[in-house]
Amino acid sequence: MTVIEPVQKYEDIPAGDLLVTVMRKRQAEFRLVQICCAVVNNQYEVIYSFADDESYELTNIRVMVGLNETIPSICDSYPYANYYENEMSEMFGLKIEMIDGDYHGKFYRIEATEPFLSKKAKEERAVEAEEIRKAAEEAANMPAPEKDAPDPASKPEIKVIKKEGGGE
Amino acid sequence: MANVKRSPWILHYDGSSCNGCDIEVLASMTPVYDAERLGVENTGDPMQADIFLITGGINSQNASVVKQLYDQMPRPKVVVAVGICACTGGVFKDAYNILGGADTVIPVDIYVPGCAARPQSIIDGIIRARDLFQKRSEEHDALMKKKNLERRQA
Amino acid sequence: MGKKSVIPFGPQHPVLPEPIHLDLVVEDEVVEEAIPNIGFIHRGLEGLAEKKDFNEMVYVAERTCGICSFGHGMGYCEAVEKLMNVEVPERAKYLRTIWMEFSRMHSHLLWLGLTADAFGFESLFYECWRIREWVLDIMEKTTGGRIIFSVNQVGGVHRDLDEDQIRFMKGELDRIERDLKNCEKTLFEDATVQKRTRGIGVLSKQQIHDLGAVGPFARASGLKYDMRMTGYEAYGNLDFEPVISDEGDCYARILVRTKEIYQSIRLIRQALDQMPAGELSVPVKGMPKGEAMVRVEQPRGEAVYYVNGENTRFLNRFRIRTPTFANLPGLCQMLQGANYADVGILVVSIDPCISCTER
């Protein structure tokens, strides 16, 4: 029997590149093996594993997500990822948008809310949310710019050229 | 054993067990450890059952299911908790989703410990349940007779 | 046009050994859609990794599921051993392989019995379980437990096989093989079995790949994929090929699983002949730090074990991705357009282990 030596590799990517990387894996006919979430240093560490069934190679894509950030769902490329994503959002409170078949936190229907997120992490998340809200409020209440400088948000002036000569 | 008038039927439900005790319950009904020679039969219908064999702990999702199954069974009935998870919660007692053993929602008469409970202990539990069921049926019959007599005299 | 109704299937049902709830949208006896509703067996045992020592966690991991119990214990130990760079002795690897193959045999025999019961064939159910009792006798004689074995530890195993036990095993294997051959004729040629399983629940190779299914469920549709080919434990020294079939219906799944029982018997015989003498375990020093991911072939398919440690006695994260979790989308796909009377047989044909799925 020929033993196939399995190769396992880890890739770290930013959250913005997630959809493109997953689409490339789908093009290459990789199978989604699992999606796993863990809380490391007050951040979510999400690992997407893809396998090639011919060579038994396993590629793990790691994405670090902040406690208040949202990541997109990969259900467009892999429809059956919705079970993993529902589970992660219920157990960890990870915000995932556009899940196809969203159970809205009622997949396992447990009584405890986000049991895998420790109390410290929940407090940290609340503090971060407060800071983000304050920053957004300050940006909305910024004073108006000076008169001399052209206001970039205003529309440009349209010059109307009147044609001379007799009209109809 | 010679004076058995009734053969009680068994309803088996898995609360939140790992399935080990469930297959041992099924193994007690199949050849080698055959409990059917005692007259018991495994039925899927709660309204035709007399003995309720429950395995696994209780969590928030199945508490109402277990209570409903218990209520659907007609009296007299006996409840047997099979496996340590149904008795006290077992190795999962500290888990966030387990409330406890079966006695958190329904009254349990006989506790059969073990992880997974062996077919020999399960059959022992079924025999005791059958004797208890016999006793309860006789008390139930006596009570019904007394009530009928009072109604006729009134 | 008929009227649509939603029929709840489960959690308590005569054909289901475990509670799962499916809402079946049915129109005129044909199922249009199936929406699974799980959570009845959810205990939250992955949360116990933060409360129990990593050596003790083996006992909790084993009790994830009573049928695939040895596989879970072995997978957890392999993941922690990979994390801590522990090399298990050769004899322990062979012992783990032998017990894993016995676990596969007992699981497939259990499934054969339940499938026969699902279409009303009770005597075949009893016959399969009678043969299974001999496998359990071997397990009890060698490990002390019938269902939950508890012989795995991080670093090896803590029980050994002596000459008497090996001779007993070989004798029993001959008896099991002989009786299964007698049973096989009924299983494969009986008209009732053929009528209830041929052409039911057909999934093509491309569909199975797109749904991410694993294990005998995928191999019955032609996907040649078996994690044992990667040679973990002692599988690298044994000679075998994955069992596949091309038809993809319920009959093909029965065929694949029965052939895998014979394959397991051959593997055990090879392993018993090749097993070297040696130690059973090595001492484990230090604390788990870092992360590791391991894939194991359970009776139901590929299971993934992920551990993450931060240099303390308690693991930060322990995650199992079980094979039934990956096969659930396949079930929902098969149920679309199926007859209501076939729902029981379709649910049983993926070999559902709901306690594994929900942990």
Side-chain angles (χ1 to χ4, degrees), chain C residues 253-266:
Chain C
R253 290 166 204 145
I254 298 182
L255 203 74
V256 164
R257 288 190 176 108
T258 315
K259 285 193 177 158
E260 283 196 356
I261 302 179
Y262 291 117
Q263 188 189 52
S264 294
I265 296 179
R266 279 197 301 272

Side-chain angles (χ1 to χ4, degrees), chain B residues 33-44:
Chain B
Y33 295 107
D34 196 9
E36 294 194 346
R37 61 193 143 113
L38 305 167
V40 298
E41 187 170 315
N42 197 357
T43 171

